Amino acid sequence: MGLLERKQKTFYRKTKKGNIIKIVREHYIRDDIWCGLDGCGSCEMEDAILEVHNTSDSTLVPQPHHLMIDTNVALHQIDVLCDDSITDIIIPQTVIQEVKHRSLPIYKRLRDLIESSAKRFYVFSNEHHSECYVEQEAKETLNDRNDRAIRIACWWYSQHFKSAKQSVVLITNDFANCMKARTLELKAFTMQEYVASLKSSPGLLDLVANLDKDENEELIQRACIYPPHLGTAEINQGVKRGKLHHGVLKTSRNNFLEANVLAEGFAKSILIQGRQNLNRALHDDLVAIELLPEEEWSTPSTVVIDKEKQEEEKEGDSEDEGDDENTLTEEQKLLASGRGKGERQPTARVVGIMKRKWRQYCGIIKKNEITDSIRHLFIPADKKIPFIRIETRQPDLLYDKRIIVAIDSWPRDSKNPKGHFVRVIGNIGDKDAENEVILLEHDCPHTKFSESVLNCLPKLPWIITEKDEAEREDLRHLDVCSVDPVGCTDIDDALHCRKLPNGNYEVGVHIADVSHFIRPLTALDKEAQNRSTTVYLTNRRIDMVPDLLSSNLCSLRGNVDRFAFSVIWEITRKAEVQSSRFCKAIIKSRGELTYQQAQARIDDSIMQDDLTNSLRNLNKLAKKLKKKRINAGALVLASMEVKFHMDPDTDTVVDIVAKQHLETMSMVEEFMLLANVTAAETTLQHFPDCALLRRHPAPPQSNFEPLLAAADSQNINLDVTSNKTLAESLNVATRDNNPFFNSMLRIMTTRCMMQALYFCSGTLEPPEYYHYGLATPTYTHFTSPIRRYADIIVHRLLAVIIEADRTYPELLDSKKLADLSQHINYRHKMAQYAGRGSAEITAIASLRGKVTEFDSYVLFLHKNAIQVLVPTIGQQVTLYLDKRTRKKDDKKKDKKKSPEAMEVDEEITPTFEFNDKELYVKCGDLVLRPFDHLRIQLSVDASDVQHQRVVCQLVHPVIPGFSVPSVSQDTQEPKLKKIKT
């Protein structure tokens, strides 16, 4: 028959402003909704999804059957549902709606499972089914109504499937729901019960989430480590009254027992110290906090406690609950010992979690000394995350593997959260496994491009048509060339310069016209938007767009015709811009030059060809442009960047190359900056409310405090009043006896900076557009559309301005553009972190199996450690000032020691005095301050499988009882090589 009844559903919704609005929707009831079973004689359907089963693998349900899940299972047991052995699942529409409302990430994973033909997950529209739709009863909660709707749907299936000799089993972790289902004579089990009954999938039990029940009398009677969390209503009331505050919790890099929360109304972040005050909150959780009495306020800890976590890791998993009390006591003593003498800051405790940021975590499991135990300790790769207790019945298969674990709960009586195993990534040390860990930990999309994305690509052979030539400006007669790093294949930009009859110069920057190939709202566009940026690891590149575009059709390669989006200026000899224009063009690059090759052309006076003279003129103008920028207050900062040359066969480091500073690098940079500024000014002029810009906020004064203290310790006065005064101060801050001093100062200054951010012009006032680092009122990104999605949006806006393309609603929607900006900012930040993480593990790999000496410089001082910068490998390492006693089993070993295990006679124990006001560490007559030179030995702790901790020992200056003798000549620091031409 079809449509039977039309109902009106009325509900009320609260807006962000607090207003209540009434929403009325029509709801249709039908009698022709399919069951989804292939071979069902009752339903007339086009494409059946569920298969008829002839056997059962379950000892609980010996009859052939299908599973129906409730919302609780969908939310918390998604990892089980993702397993290949779980197929033919019925998901009521009620469940889909609830999951979408409660967890968007889980909803997306569930949709992926539904769309997979191999999984055979069928969505049953019970909310529109004439026999399954239920109204909410008086005094019935919405949750109880939904549970009842799921039970009714399961009952309908149990009756409907009888003719096909199939059973239906309801999987629910809700005890009350399970009992009510059984009163309807339905088969109902928890996920744990059902999975345990499967004969052919014993390993599947490890994937089942172990969810603790609500805090009840039994839990209260147990010894609890943590106080209870407040409920949502209590938190909201507390925040409204001003008794509580809220913000995102950020765990310290140097101290996993310390965190900060930036809350509204506070100039500085609020300090959280100690495991109990953190109260089961994890990094990035949105938490509710309560300020402690002012007499209990504290100062940030001056001790590095990361090593304590490493020691705990080595000791293994203790089953003794009494050890938890001892650990907590030791941690409190350690925090107290590191309390500084500076100004106390507001200190608080976490009283509730408003929003969890739990995700899946990569790491390894620690081998349990109890052979038959199923309890194991999972050690996350992220040091900010505590160890996680999991249960597994297949530990031998997981040792020496990188695995993924998800957190299920964190009971009050457990020092660590509890979780479950998800999947194996690969072997520890395997190149692909280690790369995947970095990408997963930083949430970088890295799967292969889907078929729908690849279908959006142009077909080969690709040619430029007469229509293309008619619509574009032909610039193939110009001497255009690209200048890039060695090995670059995704060439975004090219340049040209020629003299005009009036004595001025015509300068052009030509950018790959990626937006021509990536059309709005296509699958390719959505994928590029999701990725937002190309990710660069030391031995791998994860492209934002498919290789056909990034390294071929969009790449401005030499001697081939390519589409470009060009900006062309008329510039005087004094580098003053007279005019600018944008156009879509066709170019033909005269050459793919490296920075070194371009520099060699400029320096070789014999070469007088048009291309070389073009480069010389570009270089002269670039120097004048840079001088103007610096005079305006632009900062010249520094980083620890080095380049690793890898052997492609063995994946080992064969060379470490210092970042070489050539004039041609600055030449390209200046014109890319000019192109970006011109694009920002143009888009803002035409689209004042929806231009995609990039701002760099001025750092608050508190950000500069560590830098100013370090500079003051060396009698250097830095003026941080503005970017211009800071730049001038940095230019004159030198030390004749320390050639690396100024670079160190600039590196420390870089760490004081705020993050540069994309934003929509309509969401901020013009004074907030300012870019502090570049000293420009407006800025955006236009020059790298192959690897940045923000540039594609800017290209689309410019194309509308020059009437080369049409607009579309999403492009001019300031709210959607603001949301997109936030997404791009997140992806960009994560890609940066992934690149740094890759460089760190590569640097550690270059140290493995040997002891090497390096020159280093003091960066930060703590009570129990000094953090030093090692320019040769581009890394920061920690030199601990305290000496640990060896474990008992180590002392029984042979007295012969490898260089890695070198230990100092424990009878001589030097005393270090730390002064956090004048910022120095003193031992006897020796005083160490920031920027001081140290000679150190580095090796890798082979027993630290997870984090591959670098062991740092002091060689010079010599401190009796602490320093170690220099190693032999063949393990000296490798000379830092420069990139060869």
Side-chain angles (χ1 to χ4, degrees):
M1 289 177 61
L3 180 64
L4 289 182
E5 188 179 355
R6 183 188 309 175
K7 294 177 177 286
Q8 280 194 341
K9 295 181 73 175
T10 304
F11 55 95
Y12 297 88
R13 180 170 291 168
K14 191 175 184 180
T15 66
K16 289 183 178 179
K17 293 183 179 179
N19 300 323
I20 304 296
I21 59 173
K22 181 180 179 181
I23 299 174
V24 179
R25 288 181 181 163
E26 289 188 337
H27 191 81
Y28 300 97
I29 306 299
R30 307 182 65 90
D31 67 350
D32 57 354
I33 294 174
W34 312 326
C35 69
L37 181 67
D38 187 20
C40 175
S42 305
C43 297
E44 297 180 6
M45 59 188 121
E46 296 173 2
D47 297 309
I49 292 176
L50 303 171
E51 291 185 353
V52 174
H53 294 173
N54 297 317
T55 59
S56 170
D57 190 44
S58 171
T59 56
L60 272 178
V61 190
Q63 307 90 351
H65 61 274
H66 293 75
L67 303 181
M68 179 179 287
I69 60 171
D70 71 354
T71 307
N72 188 288
V73 169
L75 286 169
H76 300 292
Q77 307 292 351
I78 188 70
D79 294 318
V80 178
L81 299 177
C82 288
D83 191 83
D84 292 340
S85 64
I86 301 296
T87 58
D88 293 292
I89 302 293
I90 302 165
I91 308 175
Q93 180 188 355
T94 308
V95 172
I96 294 289
Q97 292 172 345
E98 278 196 287
V99 170
K100 185 177 182 180
H101 176 70
R102 292 171 61 179
S103 174
L104 201 55
I106 298 295
Y107 173 75
K108 289 178 179 177
R109 292 181 69 186
L110 197 58
R111 293 302 316 179
D112 289 341
L113 292 175
I114 292 166
E115 290 169 11
S116 170
S117 58
K119 295 291 289 182
R120 302 191 297 278
F121 278 30
Y122 178 65
V123 178
F124 175 57
S125 300
N126 65 305
E127 294 291 349
H128 298 278
H129 195 284
S130 58
E131 296 182 50
C132 296
Y133 175 74
V134 297
E135 296 275 6
Q136 187 173 351
E137 297 176 350
K139 297 183 180 181
E140 185 180 39
T141 66
L142 181 60
N143 184 64
D144 287 343
R145 178 263 168 204
N146 290 339
D147 284 346
R148 183 162 58 89
I150 294 167
R151 293 194 299 273
I152 294 296
C154 188
W155 179 86
W156 181 84
Y157 262 98
S158 68
Q159 302 303 310
H160 187 78
F161 274 9
K162 283 182 178 178
S163 60
K165 297 182 180 179
Q166 304 287 298
S167 296
V168 177
V169 177
L170 178 63
I171 303 298
T172 174
N173 285 337
D174 185 327
F175 180 76
N177 195 26
C178 188
M179 291 299 100
K180 289 177 182 178
R182 288 174 181 173
T183 61
L184 294 175
E185 298 184 353
L186 297 175
K187 296 182 179 70
F189 304 100
T190 66
M191 182 63 84
Q192 178 91 18
E193 290 171 336
Y194 180 77
V195 170
S197 75
L198 298 178
K199 294 174 283 188
S200 61
S201 304
L204 192 59
L205 203 55
D206 288 353
L207 276 64
V208 176
N210 297 307
L211 302 173
D212 275 38
K213 297 177 184 178
D214 295 336
E215 294 175 2
N216 50 30
E217 292 181 7
E218 181 186 348
L219 178 60
I220 294 170
Q221 289 172 2
R222 290 186 286 182
C224 290
I225 299 170
Y226 303 102
H229 287 149
L230 298 180
T232 304
E234 290 177 282
I235 290 173
N236 291 337
Q237 286 181 357
V239 171
K240 193 173 182 179
R241 293 172 183 169
K243 183 182 177 183
L244 302 180
H245 307 274
H246 62 87
V248 177
L249 183 129
K250 298 291 183 181
T251 306
S252 168
R253 286 187 228 171
N254 299 321
N255 184 345
F256 73 101
L257 296 174
E258 185 172 279
N260 288 276
V261 174
L262 193 60
E264 190 177 345
F266 290 84
K268 282 188 173 183
S269 58
I270 299 170
L271 190 64
I272 316 286
Q273 285 185 327
R275 199 182 287 265
Q276 289 172 310
N277 284 339
L278 286 168
N279 195 10
R280 297 169 286 162
L282 293 185
H283 181 71
D284 278 343
D285 281 350
L286 179 61
V287 297
I289 57 174
E290 181 181 45
L291 283 178
L292 298 176
E294 195 165 341
E295 60 270 17
E296 295 182 33
W297 287 6
S298 183
T299 57
S301 178
T302 59
V303 296
V304 176
I305 311 188
D306 176 63
K307 193 176 183 185
E308 312 309 312
K309 192 175 181 185
Q310 301 299 334
E311 292 299 325
E312 181 184 347
E313 174 184 324
K314 288 183 181 180
E315 288 166 10
D317 183 17
S318 173
E319 305 270 352
D320 187 0
E321 293 182 3
D323 285 350
D324 287 349
E325 291 184 25
N326 296 333
T327 301
L328 291 171
T329 304
E330 290 299 317
E331 288 172 354
Q332 290 299 330
K333 287 181 182 177
L334 201 56
L335 280 170
S337 71
R339 211 154 275 159
K341 298 177 183 177
E343 182 182 352
R344 293 189 302 173
Q345 68 183 71
T347 308
R349 64 187 182 96
V350 174
V351 295
I353 310 294
M354 301 177 72
K355 187 177 181 181
R356 284 286 193 193
K357 283 288 281 187
W358 287 354
R359 57 179 174 84
Q360 293 186 342
Y361 301 98
C362 303
I364 63 171
I365 62 168
K366 182 68 179 176
K367 190 170 184 178
N368 197 326
E369 299 300 327
I370 303 173
T371 309
D372 297 329
S373 177
I374 61 171
R375 294 183 63 194
H376 289 77
L377 197 65
F378 171 80
I379 306 163
D382 187 346
K383 295 181 182 180
K384 295 176 183 176
I385 304 302
F387 304 140
I388 303 168
R389 293 186 183 276
I390 67 168
E391 293 184 0
T392 177
R393 293 145 191 86
Q394 50 179 350
D396 292 340
L397 300 177
L398 303 182
Y399 294 144
D400 302 325
K401 304 282 187 186
R402 297 283 185 198
I403 66 170
I404 294 177
V405 158
I407 294 178
D408 300 325
S409 63
W410 196 341
R412 288 174 55 200
D413 66 329
S414 175
K415 187 178 73 174
N416 301 101
K418 295 181 178 181
H420 67 274
F421 164 76
V422 176
R423 69 176 178 91
V424 172
I425 299 173
N427 293 325
I428 293 173
D430 177 73
K431 176 182 70 173
D432 293 335
E434 299 299 340
N435 280 339
E436 188 173 356
V437 167
I438 290 173
L439 295 169
L440 288 170
E441 281 294 302
H442 296 97
D443 194 17
C444 297
H446 58 283
T447 54
K448 291 181 179 179
F449 290 101
S450 68
E451 200 67 35
S452 60
V453 169
L454 297 177
N455 288 337
C456 297
L457 298 174
K459 303 295 184 251
L460 295 178
W462 177 79
I463 58 170
I464 295 176
T465 65
E466 290 183 4
K467 183 174 179 290
D468 293 329
E469 290 179 334
E471 293 174 345
R472 291 175 176 267
E473 198 167 327
D474 193 341
L475 302 180
R476 286 175 283 192
H477 61 285
L478 296 175
D479 290 316
V480 174
C481 72
S482 61
V483 184
D484 289 287
V486 176
C488 179
T489 59
D490 51 345
I491 302 172
D492 279 299
D493 55 86
L495 306 95
H496 90 272
C497 179
R498 64 176 178 173
K499 279 189 178 180
L500 297 174
N502 63 3
N504 291 341
Y505 293 96
E506 178 191 270
V507 176
V509 165
H510 311 277
I511 306 301
D513 190 4
V514 182
S515 62
H516 170 82
F517 297 96
I518 302 180
R519 303 309 298 163
L521 307 180
T522 61
L524 176 57
D525 181 48
K526 291 175 181 177
E527 182 64 26
Q529 178 180 312
N530 179 45
R531 297 187 180 216
S532 290
T533 182
T534 293
V535 182
Y536 294 92
L537 306 182
T538 55
N539 56 3
R540 183 183 171 192
R541 186 182 81 199
I542 296 89
D543 288 321
M544 183 183 77
V545 297
D547 186 67
L548 178 64
L549 297 183
S550 64
S551 297
N552 188 351
L553 300 185
C554 290
S555 185
L556 305 182
R557 302 200 294 197
N559 300 312
V560 290
D561 294 346
R562 286 290 180 260
F563 287 164
F565 206 139
S566 302
V567 54
I568 299 172
W569 305 274
E570 182 179 341
I571 302 178
T572 67
R573 293 182 178 182
K574 293 182 179 179
E576 295 170 342
V577 176
Q578 300 297 295
S579 65
S580 65
R581 67 184 180 91
F582 287 90
C583 66
K584 292 245 183 176
I586 303 173
I587 66 167
K588 186 173 184 177
S589 174
R590 299 293 187 268
E592 305 171 40
L593 303 180
T594 65
Y595 289 123
Q596 293 76 18
Q597 289 169 340
Q599 190 69 53
R601 277 176 173 262
I602 292 171
D603 295 341
D604 189 349
S605 58
I606 298 175
M607 298 188 73
Q608 293 296 327
D609 58 280
D610 291 342
L611 185 59
T612 301
N613 286 326
S614 172
L615 289 169
R616 289 195 182 105
N617 290 329
L618 285 168
N619 197 35
K620 289 175 186 176
L621 291 171
K623 289 178 181 178
K624 295 172 183 177
L625 288 170
K626 185 173 184 178
K627 186 176 180 181
K628 287 183 178 182
R629 279 198 314 108
I630 291 173
N631 289 340
L635 295 171
V636 179
L637 301 177
S639 68
M640 303 187 297
E641 187 178 348
V642 296
K643 185 174 180 63
F644 297 95
H645 287 176
M646 313 292 292
D647 185 320
D649 297 324
T650 62
D651 198 43
T652 56
V653 178
V654 295
D655 206 358
I656 304 176
V657 181
K659 186 177 180 182
Q660 196 175 12
H661 296 281
L662 299 173
E663 286 185 356
T664 48
M665 294 177 177
S666 181
M667 175 190 78
V668 173
E669 180 186 15
E670 289 305 316
F671 284 106
M672 295 306 114
L673 291 174
L674 182 60
N676 288 334
V677 170
T678 306
E681 293 170 347
T682 305
T683 53
L684 186 61
Q685 179 186 348
H686 290 82
F687 296 106
D689 293 328
C690 56
L692 181 64
L693 303 177
R694 187 164 172 83
R695 68 190 181 99
H696 185 209
Q701 191 68 26
S702 58
N703 280 28
F704 288 114
E705 289 175 1
L707 171 68
L708 295 174
D712 188 57
S713 72
Q714 294 286 348
N715 298 317
I716 294 291
N717 182 35
L718 292 180
D719 186 349
V720 297
T721 308
S722 68
N723 50 359
K724 184 173 176 61
T725 59
L726 175 58
E728 291 170 350
S729 298
L730 290 172
N731 289 338
V732 298
T734 58
R735 283 285 180 270
D736 294 336
N737 61 345
N738 187 348
F740 200 67
F741 178 80
N742 190 261
S743 295
M744 283 279 293
L745 206 56
R746 293 181 190 275
I747 288 170
M748 291 187 74
T749 304
T750 304
R751 298 188 175 198
C752 300
M753 295 295 109
M754 302 289 284
Q755 187 87 23
L757 301 166
Y758 295 103
F759 69 101
C760 175
S761 57
T763 61
L764 294 174
E765 294 299 319
E768 295 179 90
Y769 297 178
Y770 189 71
H771 197 292
Y772 179 86
L774 298 175
T776 180
T778 52
Y779 190 69
T780 192
H781 275 155
F782 162 76
T783 54
S784 296
I786 291 177
R787 60 185 178 88
R788 290 190 306 235
Y789 188 77
D791 301 53
I792 293 177
I793 296 295
V794 173
H795 278 222
R796 288 174 180 169
L797 290 169
L798 289 168
V800 173
I801 292 168
I802 65 173
E803 299 181 350
D805 208 342
R806 291 177 296 179
T807 186
Y808 56 99
E810 287 79 4
L811 187 65
L812 304 183
D813 188 325
S814 58
K815 185 180 183 305
K816 288 185 177 178
L817 197 59
D819 292 340
L820 175 60
S821 300
Q822 293 300 320
H823 174 75
I824 297 174
N825 287 332
Y826 171 74
R827 288 284 191 232
H828 181 71
K829 180 176 68 174
M830 290 297 104
Q832 283 186 319
Y833 291 165
R836 291 173 195 166
S838 179
E840 182 181 356
I841 66 169
T842 304
I844 291 172
S846 70
L847 301 172
R848 199 174 292 130
K850 57 187 175 182
V851 177
T852 315
E853 289 187 7
F854 295 93
D855 287 315
S856 66
Y857 300 87
V858 176
L859 199 58
F860 300 111
L861 297 168
H862 303 275
K863 185 172 182 178
N864 67 334
I866 299 175
Q867 290 177 314
V868 299
L869 177 67
V870 188
T872 306
I873 58 173
Q875 295 298 316
Q876 175 183 317
V877 299
T878 303
L879 172 65
Y880 287 96
L881 301 178
D882 53 347
K883 285 293 173 182
R884 305 284 167 190
T885 57
R886 292 172 294 166
K887 296 190 323 186
K888 291 180 180 179
D889 56 340
D890 288 337
K891 293 180 180 180
K892 295 176 183 178
K893 291 181 180 178
D894 192 270
K895 292 182 179 180
K896 292 183 180 179
K897 298 171 185 165
S898 64
E900 294 102 319
M902 201 176 287
E903 294 187 23
V904 177
D905 188 348
E906 293 175 13
E907 294 178 4
I908 306 173
T909 307
T911 303
F912 292 90
E913 175 193 341
F914 173 60
N915 189 314
D916 60 339
K917 287 188 176 180
E918 297 183 30
L919 212 58
Y920 66 77
V921 166
K922 186 176 181 182
C923 183
D925 296 330
L926 178 68
V927 178
L928 295 176
R929 300 182 186 276
F931 311 106
D932 283 354
H933 171 265
L934 303 178
R935 186 72 176 171
I936 59 171
Q937 280 181 12
L938 296 183
S939 59
V940 178
D941 183 357
S943 65
D944 184 1
V945 179
Q946 172 61 293
H947 298 117
Q948 298 287 295
R949 185 169 59 89
V950 174
V951 178
C952 178
Q953 294 177 298
L954 181 66
V955 176
H956 186 82
V958 176
I959 299 176
F962 182 78
S963 300
V964 296
S966 179
V967 292
S968 58
Q969 187 64 32
D970 60 345
T971 56
Q972 295 295 306
E973 170 184 1
K975 290 183 179 179
L976 197 59
K977 300 182 181 178
K978 292 187 176 180
I979 301 172
K980 299 180 177 66
T981 334

